[in-house]
């Protein structure tokens, strides 16, 4: 394989002829693909007359994803000859393949991935000079663009990707301007050859070593190949499938404060000022997902204490026996660091809301430790309405009672183990329709360690509480989603014939399904929200989590936490 780098007989990439700008387009960020929360500037419109080209791109052109705003991504070009090929590959979508469909800024007649090399410098128009930085890595938004689930993967396999330029010298550009190669510094590194190493010959360490130091390359690709040298080929599913439509955004840690010996306050602020107004506010029982750590190895969900998607606060307890996420946040994340965040959502919230209450209601909150964060927003809303509620908060000691100052003192009882006080759910949870004093409907909320949740669930079940009068929230731990290995057999048209997935002890069914390329949406990752539910056609399941009712468990399972016994047949 190493001969691919050093073989002097390798063909040089052909020199491109002089060319002209056939089209010039720019676009604004707009809602996209019919998916809530998904936006893009891919729908670019033709520009006529002179358009100013600056270091960050053409005037009037926007880029939605923060990482795409790098100067290395200033201009995207796409070979229009590819559109004829696409019409042959996907004839039923032929009407979608016309110039501009890939969100390109410019197109020309003669430039292609075959005759363009990394680092090539071109004069664009009378003044501007641009340099090729990388080919385009297709992402999941192209699946939505062309309404074809495998479009991004197909673009990657064909090599019809297009490429990016950085701007070396600004200037004005218009349709009809010449594009002329003025310098070639990497004549053996055509974009076609780069594509081969990037996606086919991925273990060619000698080529990768050369690419990791290649002059003119984008920082994104230098980093990518340097990581390959040390850690191997990256997982491409997130980019191709869009992290299963999770709209990740960049947030900066702006405050980190120790609240108790085990709990720290984290305040994050969005790096993007263009947050969709419809996506700004959190709903009931809000949570967010964070992706962080080396190579973004950790994905965790946390309840939101306060704020909105512009800036929000989390309270996170350190757990030295956990899977490592909380320890990393406590020990390694620093003010100024940036990580990825996605707004959480709940598939179902069965407990009654205030607009559904038909008569007198008493809200009973049973909280343990950091579980207090799950319901601070709900408690504040009830307090504002002067509703009838009570809070029972179990902690190791008052010094470890995080956010106690946010709970109304006259309605809150603290059960501190250091003071010999024990929370007994049997004495706190009344019958669902209690008439010992004035008749009222009881709504029970619980979040805390598994022992507390089990006690609350057992008590409410024993008393005959309907699902509409309870709400439980898990906060996960080291063993969440793991357990005895099992197999998941395919059923239904979405599965490849004969495919059996092995779920090892250390992974959840959700992880295995997503690694296999199935777009299983998820949110809380601990069994609270029900988003990751899959149908169970045959076999026995060990159910975990709180999102499913007993009747639902007969034919469904939460793929993030529940596990099969031996072998199960599922349909997702």
């Amino acid at each position: 394989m190493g001969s691919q780098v050093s073989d002097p007989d390798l063909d040089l990439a052909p020199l491109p002829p002089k060319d002209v700008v056939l089209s010039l387009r720019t676009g604004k960020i707009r809602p996209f693909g019919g998916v809530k929360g998904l936006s893009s500037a891919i729908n670019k419109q033709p520009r006529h007359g002179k358009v100013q080209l600056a270091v960050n791109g053409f005037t009037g052109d926007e880029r939605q994803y923060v990482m795409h705003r790098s100067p290395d991504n200033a201009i995207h070009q796409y070979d229009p000859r590819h559109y004829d090929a696409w019409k042959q590959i996907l004839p039923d979508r032929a009407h979608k393949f016309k110039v501009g469909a890939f969100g390109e800024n410019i197109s020309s007649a003669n430039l292609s991935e075959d005759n363009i090399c990394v680092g090539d410098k071109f004069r664009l128009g009378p003044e501007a000079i641009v340099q090729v930085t990388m080919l385009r890595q297709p992402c999941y938004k192209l699946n939505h663009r062309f309404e074809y689930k495998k479009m991004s993967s197909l673009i990657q396999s064909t090599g019809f990707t297009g490429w990016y330029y950085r701007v070396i010298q600004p200037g004005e550009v218009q349709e009809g301007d010449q594009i002329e190669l003025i310098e070639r510094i990497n004549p053996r590194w055509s974009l076609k050859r780069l594509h081969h190493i990037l996606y086919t010959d991925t273990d060619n360490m000698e080529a990768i070593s050369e690419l990791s130091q290649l002059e003119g390359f984008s920082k994104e690709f230098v980093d990518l190949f340097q990581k390959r040298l040390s850690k191997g080929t990256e997982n491409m599913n997130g980019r191709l499938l869009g992290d299963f439509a999770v709209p990740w955004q960049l947030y900066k840690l702006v405050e980190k404060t120790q609240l108790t010996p085990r709990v720290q306050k984290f305040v994050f602020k969005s790096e993007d000022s263009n947050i969709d107004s419809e996506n700004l506010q959190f709903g009931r029982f809000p949570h967010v997902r964070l992706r962080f750590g080396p190579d973004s190895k950790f994905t965790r969900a946390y309840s939101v204490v306060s704020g909105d998607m512009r800036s929000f606060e989390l309270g996170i307890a350190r757990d030295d026996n956990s899977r490592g996420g909380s320890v990393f946040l406590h020990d390694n994340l620093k003010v100024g660091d940036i990580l990825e965040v996605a707004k959480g959502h709940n598939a179902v919230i069965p407990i009654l809301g205030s607009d559904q209450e038909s008569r007198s209601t008493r809200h009973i909150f049973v909280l343990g430790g950091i579980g207090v964060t799950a319901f601070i927003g709900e408690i504040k809303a009830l307090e504002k309405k002067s509703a009838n509620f009570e809070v029972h908060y179990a902690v190791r000691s008052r010094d470890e009672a995080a956010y106690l100052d946010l709970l109304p003192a006259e309605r809150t009882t603290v059960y501190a183990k250091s003071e010999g006080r024990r929370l007994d759910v049997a004495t706190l949870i009344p019958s669902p329709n209690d008439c010992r004093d004035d008749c009222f409907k009881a709504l029970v909320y619980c979040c805390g360690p598994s022992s507390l949740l089990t006690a609350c669930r057992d008590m409410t079940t024993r008393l005959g509480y309907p699902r509409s009068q309870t709400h439980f929230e898990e906060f996960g731990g080291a063993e969440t989603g793991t357990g005895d290995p099992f197999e998941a057999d395919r059923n239904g048209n979405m599965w490849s014939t004969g495919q059996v997935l092995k779920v090892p002890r250390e992974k959840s069914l959700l992880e295995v399904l997503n690694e296999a390329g199935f777009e299983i949406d998820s949110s809380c990752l601990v069994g609270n929200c029900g988003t990751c539910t899959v149908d169970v056609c045959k076999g026995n399941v060990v159910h975990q989590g709180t999102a499913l009712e007993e009747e639902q468990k007969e034919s469904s399972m939460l793929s993030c936490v529940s596990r099969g016994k031996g072998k199960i047949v599922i349909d997702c």
Side-chain angles (χ1 to χ4, degrees):
M1 288 186 182
S3 61
Q4 291 193 20
V5 176
S6 57
D7 190 341
D9 296 326
L10 273 174
D11 290 336
L12 301 179
L15 293 171
K18 285 185 179 181
D19 213 340
V20 297
V21 178
L22 297 179
S23 71
L24 194 161
R25 294 169 176 266
T26 62
K28 300 287 187 181
I29 298 169
R30 297 287 185 269
F32 172 72
V35 179
K36 186 175 181 180
L38 189 64
S39 59
S40 174
I42 196 171
N43 291 314
K44 300 188 187 300
Q45 302 303 313
R47 296 288 299 273
H48 303 292
K50 294 180 179 180
V51 181
Q52 183 65 41
L53 175 63
V55 171
N56 289 319
F58 288 107
T59 299
D61 194 45
E62 298 179 350
R63 282 165 279 174
Q64 193 270 336
Y65 183 42
V66 174
M67 297 298 287
H68 288 172
R69 298 174 195 169
S70 163
D72 291 342
N73 303 62
I75 306 170
H76 176 227
Q77 181 166 352
Y78 196 75
D79 183 353
R81 292 169 291 186
H82 293 332
Y83 286 113
D84 290 334
W86 283 120
K87 291 174 184 178
Q88 298 298 316
I89 295 169
L90 296 172
D92 57 331
R93 290 171 172 77
H95 62 287
K96 293 182 177 293
F97 296 115
K98 53 189 177 182
V99 172
F102 279 83
E104 63 266 32
N105 295 113
I106 60 174
S107 61
S108 65
N110 300 313
L111 300 184
S112 73
E113 293 84 358
D114 293 343
N115 60 25
I116 294 287
C117 290
V118 176
D120 279 358
K121 292 182 181 179
F122 287 84
R123 187 176 303 282
L124 179 58
E127 305 169 330
I129 297 175
V130 298
Q131 182 177 38
V132 177
T133 58
M134 59 182 160
L135 56 75
R136 177 186 188 173
Q137 290 211 87
C139 77
Y140 71 98
K141 289 187 179 181
L142 293 166
N143 301 338
H144 295 284
R145 173 68 157 174
F146 295 101
E147 298 178 355
Y148 184 57
K149 184 177 178 181
K150 298 181 179 179
M151 189 66 191
S152 59
S153 297
L154 198 55
I155 296 166
Q156 182 166 298
S157 64
T158 60
F160 300 158
T161 61
W163 59 92
Y164 287 107
Y165 298 97
R166 68 168 60 93
V167 177
I168 303 297
Q169 180 175 298
E172 291 183 328
V173 183
Q174 64 181 337
E175 288 183 356
D177 277 349
Q178 283 197 344
I179 308 175
E180 180 182 3
L181 179 68
I182 59 174
E183 184 179 4
R184 171 158 287 179
I185 59 176
N186 300 306
R188 298 186 187 280
W189 278 111
S190 68
L191 296 182
K192 181 178 181 180
R193 185 178 174 218
L194 169 63
H195 180 276
H196 178 74
I197 299 300
L198 192 61
Y199 301 126
T200 304
D201 193 7
T202 57
D203 294 326
N204 188 334
M205 289 298 115
E206 194 170 348
I208 290 169
S209 178
E210 182 177 339
L211 286 168
S212 70
Q213 305 173 65
L214 197 65
E215 183 181 354
F217 232 163
S218 69
K219 183 179 184 302
E220 177 184 332
F221 271 44
V222 169
D223 290 347
L224 183 152
F225 285 113
Q226 286 178 347
K227 287 181 179 178
R228 276 202 189 175
L229 282 175
S230 60
K231 300 180 180 179
T233 304
E234 68 281 359
N235 188 327
M236 302 180 193
N237 283 340
R239 170 173 54 80
L240 295 171
L241 302 176
D243 293 315
F244 321 109
V246 176
W248 295 103
Q249 296 175 301
L250 296 181
Y251 281 72
K252 179 185 291 186
L253 179 64
V254 296
E255 181 184 345
K256 183 178 181 182
T257 305
Q258 194 81 37
L259 299 181
T260 76
R262 295 176 56 251
V263 177
Q264 291 193 41
K265 166 184 172 180
F266 295 78
V267 178
F268 294 95
K269 185 176 181 180
S270 175
E271 288 284 278
D272 189 352
S273 59
N274 298 310
I275 298 177
D276 182 3
S277 59
E278 289 187 6
N279 199 43
L280 184 62
Q281 301 300 326
F282 292 112
R284 222 174 156 201
F285 314 123
H287 66 274
V288 291
R289 291 175 64 177
L290 307 185
R291 189 161 63 180
F292 57 94
D295 296 325
S296 300
K297 66 180 289 188
F298 298 115
T299 302
R300 300 289 186 267
Y302 297 102
S303 295
V304 175
V305 174
S306 62
D308 55 33
M309 286 300 289
R310 289 170 297 197
S311 179
F312 57 84
E313 175 183 343
L314 306 180
I316 301 175
R318 179 190 177 98
D319 184 354
D320 291 316
N321 297 316
S322 73
R323 295 163 290 169
S326 67
V327 172
F328 182 91
L329 292 173
H330 274 246
D331 293 353
N332 299 99
L333 196 69
K334 298 176 177 61
V335 171
D337 287 351
I338 292 175
L339 46 64
E340 293 177 290
V341 175
K343 185 178 182 181
H345 58 279
N346 293 287
V348 178
I349 298 179
I351 195 168
L352 293 174
S354 59
D355 57 337
Q356 300 170 298
E357 298 169 11
S358 58
R359 56 186 175 85
S360 236
T361 304
R362 177 182 293 174
H363 304 262
I364 302 167
F365 293 87
V366 183
L367 313 175
I370 198 60
V372 67
T373 58
F375 299 124
I376 286 177
E378 187 80 358
I379 291 169
K380 285 183 177 179
L382 292 171
E383 184 179 22
K384 188 174 182 179
K385 295 187 300 182
S386 300
N388 181 4
F389 69 93
E390 57 194 60
V391 180
H392 302 274
Y393 187 12
V395 292
R396 296 178 182 178
S397 68
R398 286 184 178 269
D399 289 341
E400 297 198 40
Y403 294 107
L404 183 59
D405 59 319
L406 298 185
L407 304 177
E410 69 279 5
R411 296 177 180 268
T412 301
T413 304
V414 177
Y415 303 81
K417 185 177 180 180
S418 63
E419 299 172 2
R421 297 200 65 184
R422 178 176 174 272
L423 187 153
D424 182 4
V425 296
T427 64
L428 303 179
I429 300 178
S431 68
N433 296 284
D434 193 345
C435 287
R436 287 176 296 178
D437 300 317
D438 294 331
C439 287
F440 63 86
K441 177 179 287 186
L443 303 185
V444 175
Y445 311 73
C446 182
C447 184
S450 57
S451 57
L452 181 63
L453 283 163
T454 299
C456 281
R457 271 197 293 259
D458 289 348
M459 180 57 63
T460 53
T461 299
R462 190 179 310 129
L463 293 173
Y465 270 75
R467 188 76 191 285
S468 61
Q469 288 179 238
T470 61
H471 185 78
F472 301 101
E473 294 237 358
E474 300 263 7
F475 53 69
E479 304 302 319
T480 301
T482 65
D484 291 339
F486 66 99
E487 293 182 344
D489 202 349
R490 85 288 182 273
N491 186 61
N493 294 329
M494 288 193 62
W495 292 75
S496 302
T497 303
Q499 184 171 9
V500 177
L501 299 176
K502 296 183 182 297
V503 184
R505 182 180 302 276
E506 70 279 5
K507 290 187 177 182
S508 67
L509 174 60
L510 175 66
E511 290 177 280
V512 171
L513 288 171
N514 285 344
E515 288 173 359
F518 298 98
E519 299 183 31
I520 309 301
D521 199 7
S522 61
S523 187
C524 75
L525 304 179
V526 292
N528 293 330
C529 70
T531 309
C532 67
T533 300
V534 297
D535 294 334
V536 179
C537 306
K538 187 178 180 181
N540 296 320
V541 173
V542 179
H543 290 282
Q544 303 291 338
T546 63
L548 298 183
E549 297 186 47
E550 292 304 313
E551 183 178 346
Q552 292 175 300
K553 291 178 181 178
E554 295 177 5
S555 59
S556 303
M557 68 182 291
L558 301 171
S559 61
C560 69
V561 291
S562 298
R563 302 187 72 79
K565 287 185 175 181
K567 188 173 185 178
I568 60 174
V569 179
I570 63 175
D571 185 357
C572 54

